[in-house]
Amino acid sequence: RFSEYSVALLKDPAHFKALFNRGFSHDKLGHYDAAIADYTAAIRLDPTNAYAYYNRGISYDRKGDFKRAIDNFGKAMELEPRNADFYHNRGFSHRKLGKYE
């Protein structure tokens, strides 16, 4: 539950999983700016976590900021180049910009 992640963060503001999961909850509720803020804080704690970039990219995409989505998917790809989902979502964001090649 969303509120439990916030309580965890009151007890430990540097709790990566609580930030990541609260960001996920924000995204599912359509609170994209709050999701992006939580993912950004999680990335500060662990800049090698590809899924934090990936999920932040999804939030940017849903917000309509396809350029930032592409940048985040690209960073996720750098960290985990074998993950097909990262490539797929970056391609989908390019398509939304009208870039087909």
Side-chain angles (χ1 to χ4, degrees), residues 2-87:
F2 176 84
S3 62
E4 291 171 2
Y5 300 130
S6 295
V7 171
L9 289 165
L10 287 174
K11 295 179 181 297
D12 180 2
H15 195 283
F16 175 86
K17 288 181 186 178
L19 282 165
F20 184 92
N21 288 321
R22 190 174 72 175
F24 185 86
S25 296
H26 276 306
D27 181 84
K28 292 300 179 190
L29 293 169
H31 306 151
Y32 304 124
D33 289 330
I36 290 164
D38 279 346
Y39 289 132
T40 299
I43 288 166
R44 279 192 213 106
L45 293 174
D46 183 1
T48 66
N49 187 293
Y51 284 93
Y53 290 98
Y54 174 69
N55 282 11
R56 188 170 69 175
I58 289 170
S59 294
Y60 275 123
D61 184 89
R62 289 183 174 152
K63 187 179 168 180
D65 191 341
F66 305 122
K67 172 69 172 99
R68 285 190 177 155
I70 290 165
D71 291 344
N72 277 268
F73 295 141
K75 182 62 178 177
M77 290 162 50
E78 287 175 25
L79 293 168
E80 285 192 28
R82 300 185 75 168
N83 190 314
D85 287 334
F86 299 167
Y87 290 85

